[in-house]
Amino acid sequence: MSARWEFRLLRLWHAALAGGFLVAYVTADEDTYAMHVFSGYWVVAAILLRLLLALAGSGGGPLALPKPRLTWIRPGRNPLFAWMAVLLLAGMAVAGVSGIAADFIPFVEDLHEGLAEASLWLVLAHAAVIAWIFQGRRVREMLKGSAAALLAVVLLAAPAAFAADAARDAVKAGYARQAGPGFAGFSSERGKALFESRNAASPDYASCTTCHTADPAAEGRHAKTGRAIKPVAVSANPKRFTDVAKVEERFERDCQTVLGRVCSATEKGDYIAYMESK
Amino acid sequence: MKRIILAAALCLAALPARADRVRPVTDPETLAACGECHMAFQPAFLPARSWTRMMGQLSGHFGDNAAMAADKAERIRQVLVAGAADTGGGKAGSKALRGVGQYDTPQRITELPRFAAKHQRIAEREWKRPEVTSKANCPACHKAAEAGLYDDD
């Protein structure tokens, strides 16, 4: 393979990886889960392909993956390029593989989300470094005008990672406030009793366990429609109880259906406490 | 020029796959709200007047309480009405309306004449299988139902 074709292949591969990562990142929401899974596998496959391409390319050519060194043998590339490639490829590979693993081992999901966020920052840093090296002066002039705006964006975007636990705590704190004076903390035992209680309000849904099964960490099934229901336990489904509007809507609807009445703020907090303990 | 011809050829080749497709719901809010308890049925299976009636009585939704904030219900109603059998439902929509009176507001897709005709050969015990549970559980048999494909019988 001539160096020219190797370089074309490299650019094609770069586009495939960058595109796959971008799609995986923006489709991480549950609503677009199928696309997220597909693009995640795509990213992992692209990284494996890169290792194979390195074997197929000529030594020292565009497709070669030079061993990262600490010394700079001039003339030649700055050794930091190789380190950057290692960091990027390893970060994305581990992020991708942990995403696949999270399908089988739920607690890997936190690791996966953390790594994915970190990978995005690596990619942005990578783009900035490359832009700086090859378009330095032009970039510096552009930046002078928009430095303040950039800083604001960075400050706003940074705390987005690991927000799920904080969001759930906020939901619980809201119920603690509503519980008013005399409130003495939520109890996961009371939550368990509520979850397992049998009721007479509706013959089709005698208990929470009718649809959710007796094990909150297991997948449930809607008693009437047969629709699969994701686990309620936080350990099996970390996104549970993080969106106030959704949580309220569900309690309002399901308490009425199963218990035949509204739930008190304390009961709601107890229920969440039980699901966090499972 | 070559590229344009290639792209056109690829589009043509993909046409048969789209022909009998019922346009699925794409609005994330609608997908999440409807899809929580049952499949988010394609709006093309009911006329707009049916959807409007359904979204106006969510606290008694087929015997269950499916109440939601009024503004959310209204947004979802608009999505459903826009894709309904008699508005944006296309060919699948006009087929679904066969045998439905002009002023009828059917609520159960499974009680439409078209549904009955298409499923008359399915034995009662098939519907009762635990993985089916309900006639409304389309994806139990039509694996690609959520993508709008029902041709896999």
Side-chain angles (χ1 to χ4, degrees):
Chain A
M1 227 182 328
S2 73
R4 196 161 148 226
W5 276 101
E6 280 191 34
F7 192 64
R8 279 184 186 168
L9 214 57
L10 184 68
R11 285 170 79 171
L12 201 64
W13 171 82
H14 186 268
L17 180 69
F21 182 81
L22 189 72
V23 171
Y25 190 85
V26 299
T27 58
D29 205 55
E30 278 173 19
D31 302 330
T32 45
Y33 188 65
M35 214 193 282
H36 180 66
V37 169
F38 179 84
S39 49
Y41 275 97
W42 176 282
V43 166
V44 173
I47 290 170
L48 290 178
L49 181 72
R50 181 68 185 87
L51 301 179
L52 290 178
L53 283 177
L55 292 179
S58 51
L63 284 177
L65 283 174
K67 204 178 189 180
R69 288 173 203 283
L70 293 173
T71 50
W72 190 352
I73 308 157
R74 293 168 205 255
R77 265 195 159 174
N78 188 320
L80 287 175
F81 274 94
W83 285 105
M84 180 164 68
V86 167
L87 209 61
L88 278 164
L89 289 177
M92 282 195 188
V94 181
V97 171
S98 65
I100 297 171
D103 267 350
F104 310 102
I105 324 164
F107 66 82
V108 185
E109 196 166 319
D110 280 337
L111 174 74
H112 173 59
E113 284 175 12
L115 281 169
E117 292 291 342
S119 297
L120 180 75
W121 288 105
L122 280 178
V123 168
L124 293 178
H126 165 68
V129 167
I130 296 299
W132 192 268
I133 292 174
F134 293 102
Q135 295 284 331
R137 184 183 291 170
R138 216 192 284 173
V139 171
R140 276 189 287 273
E141 271 164 18
M142 235 165 65
L143 277 187
K144 256 181 220 161
S146 56
L150 199 74
L151 190 71
V153 169
V154 169
L155 286 179
L156 282 176
F162 297 109
D165 284 339
R168 201 175 311 109
D169 287 343
V171 171
K172 274 203 301 183
Y175 288 137
R177 266 196 308 279
Q178 285 175 33
F183 170 71
F186 295 125
S187 142
S188 64
E189 282 85 51
R190 286 200 306 261
K192 180 175 157 69
L194 180 70
F195 181 71
E196 291 170 356
S197 67
R198 321 254 344 142
N199 307 278
S202 148
D204 293 317
Y205 312 97
S207 166
C208 305
T209 60
T210 307
C211 298
H212 291 302
T213 79
D215 175 11
E219 183 158 280
R221 184 182 282 277
H222 195 286
K224 264 195 199 170
T225 67
R227 181 75 152 174
I229 302 173
K230 291 196 181 116
V232 220
V234 171
S235 64
N237 187 359
K239 292 200 174 73
R240 282 281 184 189
F241 311 111
T242 54
D243 176 347
V244 187
K246 210 169 172 178
V247 173
E248 258 306 287
E249 187 181 277
R250 212 58 70 245
F251 274 131
E252 204 162 294
R253 187 185 292 177
D254 294 348
C255 289
Q256 218 30 278
T257 301
V258 178
L259 306 171
R261 59 174 176 84
V262 292
C263 289
S264 70
T266 312
E267 281 176 319
K268 293 173 188 172
D270 290 345
Y271 188 88
I272 299 178
Y274 174 53
M275 292 312 164
E276 280 184 321
S277 74
K278 287 303 279 185
Chain B
M1 192 56 205
K2 250 189 207 165
R3 262 191 224 171
I4 296 171
I5 293 173
L6 183 69
L10 285 174
C11 288
L12 271 179
L15 270 182
R18 298 197 58 87
D20 287 324
R21 193 154 184 232
V22 192
R23 234 179 85 215
V25 183
T26 52
D27 175 54
E29 189 176 36
T30 308
L31 269 181
C34 305
E36 179 125 32
C37 303
H38 53 70
M39 186 190 125
F41 304 110
Q42 284 81 15
F45 283 132
L46 289 177
R49 54 187 185 276
S50 287
W51 291 121
T52 298
R53 181 180 150 204
M54 190 180 298
M55 294 309 286
Q57 48 193 31
L58 282 175
S59 52
H61 187 65
F62 303 99
D64 285 340
N65 180 8
M68 60 181 78
D71 55 330
K72 183 174 166 184
E74 174 56 20
R75 282 195 300 274
I76 292 172
R77 187 192 73 83
Q78 286 174 6
V79 171
L80 295 171
V81 162
D86 49 350
T87 54
K91 202 165 145 196
S94 40
K95 281 182 183 170
L97 285 183
R98 281 180 193 166
V100 176
Q102 201 185 339
Y103 300 107
D104 290 350
T105 50
Q107 298 291 287
R108 286 182 196 272
I109 296 168
T110 55
E111 286 175 1
L112 294 181
R114 168 101 173 146
F115 184 95
K118 281 283 186 182
H119 296 84
Q120 59 176 347
R121 292 201 319 226
I122 311 293
E124 203 51 40
R125 66 184 154 76
E126 296 285 343
W127 295 117
K128 294 228 167 77
R129 278 160 53 180
E131 65 269 36
V132 178
T133 311
S134 156
K135 280 191 183 176
N137 193 1
C138 310
C141 303
H142 302 286
K143 293 294 175 212
E146 311 219 25
L149 295 168
Y150 293 87
D151 269 354
D152 49 359
D153 46 6

